[in-house]
Amino acid sequence: MSRNDALRAARLRVGWRSADMAAEQLTAHGQQFLDDRHFTVSPRTWRRWEGSRPGWPSEETALVLHDALGRWPEQLGFTAPPGWIRPEHHEETRMQTARLLDVTAAALVPGPLAPQQVDPALVDYFQAQLEGHYRADMLLGPHDLIGTLGPQYQLIDKLTRSATGETRRGLLRVGAAYAALVGWLYQDAGDLSAAAFWRGVTQEIALRARDPHLVGYAMVNSAQVRTDLGDGAGVVDLCEAALDDDRVVPKIRVMAMQQQAHGASLLRDRAAVDRLIDDADRLLPRVDDDLPWGNACRRTPGYLEVQRATCYGRLGLGEEASDLWTQVLAAVPGTARRDRGVYMARHATAAATARQPEQAVEIAREVATIAVETGSARMRRELTTLERAMRPWQDAPVGRDLAEALAPVTEGS
């Protein structure tokens, strides 16, 4: 088919029997589509388009052709000029830019801002709210809180620019904690690009605060993103860097050791997983600082066994992981709904790996309800892992039962 035949075939497909009729119909369509009564395509122009050298239409004419015929000019026999980008891609780029600005806006406010008096009591005010935000995260999931935390971080950043001395240092420290939580919320929502951005903000502020504990905490936060990216070596690098500083409090060392165990599981090193979790367990009783952030190891029942069970599941140790999840879930309160849903999804995958598909489906039914309620992308990702583990039974009745159980999740994706 020569180039001019593509456009001719397209107009015949929509019932435009001649070039004259096509020019008339496209003119009417374009005037309505563009809301421009001056838009015109002449019969002579259309006949040239159907010739051997059709040229290239303007961008607005390309839009009209696409809307009328369902094809872009390069699909209609026209030769695209160098650098041509479809208008739809311009819109996609615009939306991506808008989203990037939305993600980064709170952290990238240009200055300087008007100076103001900053009361030292504001440091305690923001610190006191952190625990409430952590609890709300467990109950609500990420989406409802991202919009709350961003503006609060922006206010802390604004106050930091006016504060001096220990007040400024205190605001930097609490600002790093807020940035870390925003990063976590984006990570739980499945947006790893936004999570990585906010983890970088956390690292920057921790360095500005000259706080070794926060610097270590920020590196562990970045290692969490690397874990979700499947980069075991990157996880280990960041955690080893955090552990290199002997000044950090035991809590940071516990966090770094357990996260390094995740990196080891990605590298298929079970011995390192057990060694790191055991070392962290021996250190856990020494966690006694009053820092308001990073307290999951004290707040989460069976914290280290949660990490061990997750690592065992990643290593394909189904029976051992399933036994651990049974113990862990017995201690997790119903109020920790989001975390409980994630753990149960991992338990279901472990059961499937241990060739107990009926148990896996039974667990998955409850997880599906929690996943829809919380909007946790982590939970949905765990359910995708479960679906892979259940493939041996996909054509069996139990496989169809799983598809039915997960329908509310898949339909809402």
Side-chain angles (χ1 to χ4, degrees):
M1 178 180 285
S2 60
R3 287 181 178 177
N4 57 325
D5 286 339
L7 180 60
R8 182 173 181 275
R11 71 163 166 82
L12 290 173
R13 197 178 299 115
V14 296
W16 299 347
R17 293 187 299 276
S18 66
D20 287 5
M21 182 180 184
E24 179 184 347
Q25 292 293 327
L26 192 70
T27 295
H29 187 92
Q31 289 180 358
Q32 182 177 8
F33 178 72
L34 298 173
D35 192 22
D36 178 5
R37 62 188 180 86
H38 299 294
F39 177 83
T40 305
V41 174
S42 70
R44 180 180 178 182
T45 297
W46 191 283
R47 281 191 285 272
R48 175 170 57 80
W49 286 350
E50 288 194 14
S52 58
R53 303 177 66 182
W56 184 254
S58 68
E59 183 166 311
E60 69 173 14
T61 303
L63 287 167
V64 175
L65 282 165
H66 178 263
D67 193 68
L69 302 177
R71 286 170 171 76
W72 293 105
E74 67 269 30
Q75 299 167 320
L76 293 169
F78 296 86
T79 301
W84 160 250
I85 300 175
R86 290 181 183 176
E88 63 179 355
H89 293 158
H90 289 303
E91 177 62 17
E92 181 180 319
T93 300
R94 187 193 68 76
M95 292 177 65
Q96 289 173 344
T97 301
R99 184 197 154 278
L100 178 64
L101 291 173
D102 186 51
V103 166
T104 62
L108 299 178
V109 176
L113 304 175
Q116 64 184 107
Q117 185 68 31
V118 181
D119 193 306
L122 286 168
V123 176
D124 294 332
Y125 165 75
F126 287 113
Q127 283 185 349
Q129 292 190 61
L130 268 174
E131 185 59 34
H133 290 317
Y134 292 139
R135 287 197 303 271
D137 169 44
M138 288 191 292
L139 295 170
L140 293 173
H143 299 286
D144 292 323
L145 282 180
I146 287 173
T148 299
L149 268 294
Q152 284 196 303
Y153 171 83
Q154 193 172 42
L155 176 57
I156 294 169
D157 177 55
K158 176 175 177 286
L159 294 170
T160 300
R161 300 186 193 194
S162 293
T164 59
E166 281 305 309
T167 301
R168 184 170 185 276
R169 291 276 301 278
L171 285 170
L172 284 169
R173 286 193 289 267
V174 77
Y178 272 75
L181 182 52
V182 174
W184 160 247
L185 293 172
Y186 275 116
Q187 187 172 348
D188 191 37
D191 191 338
L192 293 185
S193 297
F197 170 81
W198 280 95
R199 300 308 200 191
V201 171
T202 306
Q203 191 85 258
E204 176 203 320
I205 305 170
L207 289 166
R208 287 168 57 193
R210 296 171 179 80
D211 186 322
H213 313 304
L214 265 176
V215 171
Y217 178 57
M219 284 192 279
V220 174
N221 274 245
S222 294
Q224 289 179 345
V225 177
R226 285 281 134 194
T227 299
D228 278 3
L229 291 170
D231 179 9
V235 176
V236 172
D237 288 342
L238 286 161
C239 293
E240 286 182 343
L243 291 167
D244 279 345
D245 193 333
D246 293 332
R247 295 173 297 172
V248 297
V249 292
K251 177 169 68 182
I252 302 303
R253 304 191 74 80
V254 168
M255 292 178 67
M257 287 174 185
Q258 63 81 21
Q259 200 62 46
Q260 188 175 339
H262 288 284
S265 71
L266 287 165
L267 297 173
R268 318 304 298 172
D269 188 347
R270 178 185 175 167
V273 168
D274 285 327
R275 173 177 54 78
L276 287 159
I277 297 293
D278 290 344
D279 287 348
D281 190 46
R282 284 189 286 272
L283 191 58
L284 192 58
R286 292 175 51 194
V287 175
D288 62 354
D289 60 84
D290 58 358
L291 297 172
W293 40 262
N295 288 310
C297 62
R298 289 189 283 212
R299 187 174 57 243
T300 306
Y303 172 75
L304 290 173
E305 292 313 298
V306 166
Q307 316 311 321
R308 195 192 304 269
T310 302
C311 290
Y312 280 6
R314 198 178 284 125
L315 287 165
L317 304 173
E319 290 186 12
E320 291 167 270
S322 185
D323 289 344
L324 278 173
W325 284 124
T326 299
Q327 297 172 33
V328 166
L329 285 162
V332 176
T335 52
R337 193 157 176 74
R338 193 270 320 282
D339 285 349
R340 185 175 181 82
V342 171
Y343 301 162
M344 290 179 69
R346 292 173 182 169
H347 187 192
T349 299
T353 305
R355 306 197 66 79
Q356 298 172 340
E358 290 80 7
Q359 183 187 12
V361 172
E362 182 181 348
I363 297 168
R365 292 187 192 282
E366 184 176 349
V367 179
T369 301
I370 302 174
V372 171
E373 288 177 359
T374 62
S376 170
R378 276 197 314 149
M379 209 178 306
R380 291 173 184 265
R381 190 166 60 245
E382 296 293 348
L383 289 174
T384 299
T385 302
L386 169 62
E387 288 179 303
R388 287 197 297 268
M390 287 286 291
R391 278 176 185 165
W393 300 278
Q394 62 183 2
D395 296 323
V398 71
R400 292 190 287 274
D401 288 345
L402 178 68
E404 179 186 345
L406 298 186
V409 182
T410 55
E411 289 169 2
S413 298

